[in-house]
Amino acid sequence: MNHAPPIGVVAALSAEARSCATWRELGNLELIIAGPGPLRAAAAARRLVAAGVRELVSWGTSGALSEHLKPGQLLLLKETCDTNGQRYPADAQLLQLFSHRLATLSPLPVVALTLATPVLHQHEKRALAQRHHCAAVDMESAAVAQVACAAQLPFLAVRSIVDPLDFDIPTAAMAGMSEDGEPQPIGVMKALMARPRDLFAVIRLGLHYRTALATLARAAGLLGRSEIAR
């Protein structure tokens, strides 16, 4: 008998993992905080596959590559791709099931791009949108999808928008991103001492991030009240 949790969830950051708390309380999933980036996400996904999960989910936040996506918008990635042109469609049944369970949050089915580094400036976002025909960008989903594909497991990515298309992420904010997914507020404070002009943008980004996490928490609440595994 397989006693492994049926759903394996990869989150890059501890805050994203905490937003999933209500869903985790059911005890029907295993979640790993991978740290940011595709290499860490893939390693975490492989650990979940080895543990015997039967579905893989990428859970977290995204940046907008479309002007129609605002902070807090919930996304269900119908397809995710990488910069090599490899594209991974979501499992059709999972996409339909999550769309139904999360309907009150009006999730949008979109195509998203996975990059190894953050996209900070709006001119970069616009160029990526034009080149790859994607509506959002993250740093993990395609890597998790690739592992799911290799293991022949269903895959879906659940994402919430943080930075809108017309927002430039301040350089100082990047000092708060650690390799293990834990926040580093002292790093941000030190960076702001060197770049005080970033203060307003850091505050605005923090508000956007709070909005995105609140959406994920509401999604987790809805998923936690339903049986997702098949």
Side-chain angles (χ1 to χ4, degrees), residues 10-13 16 33-45 58 114-118 138-144 159 177-181:
V10 177
L13 307 177
E16 295 169 344
I33 300 172
L39 294 179
R40 297 183 183 90
S58 175
T114 292
L115 298 177
T117 56
D138 66 47
M139 295 174 61
E140 296 82 27
S141 291
V144 179
R159 293 275 160 175
M177 182 181 291
S178 66
E179 293 185 358
D180 62 1

Side-chain angles (χ1 to χ4, degrees), residues 33-93:
I33 300 172
L39 294 179
R40 297 183 183 90
R46 286 192 291 269
R47 286 170 55 193
L48 290 168
V49 171
V53 301
R54 300 192 294 275
E55 297 167 352
L56 282 173
V57 172
S58 175
W59 180 274
T61 57
S62 286
L65 298 183
S66 166
E67 62 185 10
H68 303 295
L69 299 181
K70 305 304 179 184
Q73 173 63 57
L74 186 65
L75 308 177
L76 297 178
L77 305 191
K78 62 182 180 181
E79 188 175 63
T80 182
C81 59
D82 59 29
T83 53
N84 295 321
Q86 190 67 45
R87 306 180 82 89
Y88 302 95
D91 178 78
Q93 287 183 274

